[in-house]
Amino acid sequence: MKLVCLLEERSAEEVLKVILPKILPQGVFFETIAFEGKRDLAGKLQRRIEHWQGNEDVFLVLMDQDCDDCVAAKNRLRGIVEKTGKAGRTLVRIACHELENFFLGDLAAVEKGLKAGGLSRQQNSRKYREPDRLANAPDELRKLTKNKYQKTSGSRSIAPFLKIDGSNRSTSFNNLVRGIKRLVEG
């Protein structure tokens, strides 16, 4: 079995390349396909899934919420997936608001990955207790790390330190991890 990850952008690919080997059971492989933004993902999604040859393979579709309504964005993607006939083998997840909210949910990982001391002490502050509520996560990360955070390289540096045990303060991240586990086990 293979988990085929259809992603809005490269930074998500960098994170999944690191965390999936920790999540997936032995014998389950993965492939990542990063698109060039939301429009590219939505425009090519149906064809990619429809024409995928592996009969046992399952799919993950991951996109940022950004300023969109989370439920509406998820429903649009699910509508596309329904047309493929493979909806039962596909997990659709929306990162609330952006991938960077995942990082703000584990400031210890950001601290270690970017060698930015003192960040983990801020995890219990009001602002970072529920990072999925922050609509400006990339700006917040840049400010916190004194501009050390850059989208793709930062994702690559932080990902090895992200906890996948449910302790991340980003509910969106924890839902992603749980959803992937259910998808490949079911």
Side-chain angles (χ1 to χ4, degrees):
M1 173 193 288
K2 184 185 285 186
L3 171 65
V4 181
C5 305
L6 303 153
L7 313 166
E8 173 188 346
E9 60 191 6
R10 296 222 179 276
S11 57
E13 182 176 44
E14 293 298 331
V15 172
L16 289 178
K17 281 181 187 177
V18 174
I19 68 168
L20 285 177
K22 299 175 187 179
I23 296 172
L24 298 177
Q26 190 171 356
V28 177
F29 304 96
F30 70 92
E31 181 174 333
T32 57
I33 301 168
F35 292 88
E36 299 298 325
K38 286 182 178 191
R39 195 170 284 143
D40 188 39
L41 170 64
K44 295 176 181 172
L45 182 61
Q46 182 177 343
R47 186 170 171 80
R48 282 289 182 137
I49 293 175
E50 267 179 352
H51 296 289
W52 193 263
Q53 296 298 313
N55 291 329
E56 299 297 317
D57 295 345
V58 293
F59 304 91
L60 165 67
V61 180
L62 178 61
M63 184 177 82
D64 288 349
Q65 174 187 353
D66 296 322
C67 295
D68 205 351
D69 175 81
C70 189
V71 174
K74 192 171 191 176
N75 286 338
R76 277 194 303 276
L77 291 174
R78 281 184 172 161
I80 294 169
V81 170
E82 289 287 330
K83 295 174 189 173
T84 70
K86 298 178 183 175
R89 298 175 13 207
T90 304
L91 174 68
V92 175
R93 283 292 180 257
I94 305 296
C96 299
H97 285 268
E98 298 182 59
L99 184 74
E100 287 82 1
N101 293 77
F102 295 173
F103 303 151
L104 291 174
D106 189 348
L107 290 177
V110 176
E111 182 177 314
K112 291 174 190 169
L114 298 180
K115 297 172 181 54
L119 297 184
S120 59
R121 291 190 302 251
Q122 297 183 51
Q123 192 70 71
N124 288 323
S125 71
R126 172 179 243 161
K127 190 179 230 180
Y128 304 116
R129 271 187 242 146
E130 294 182 68
D132 290 342
R133 291 180 180 228
L134 293 171
N136 61 342
D139 296 335
E140 195 62 43
L141 265 175
R142 281 189 212 88
K143 188 168 52 173
L144 268 175
T145 63
K146 297 178 175 76
N147 288 318
K148 287 183 180 182
Y149 177 75
Q150 300 297 317
K151 199 156 186 77
T152 304
S153 63
S155 296
R156 191 178 305 121
S157 298
I158 296 167
F161 302 102
L162 283 172
K163 292 184 203 99
I164 56 169
D165 61 1
S167 65
N168 191 308
R169 292 290 181 97
S170 168
T171 303
S172 179
F173 178 77
N174 293 329
N175 286 338
L176 172 66
V177 172
R178 278 193 303 274
I180 291 169
K181 287 178 180 178
R182 277 194 311 270
L183 180 66
V184 299
E185 290 169 1

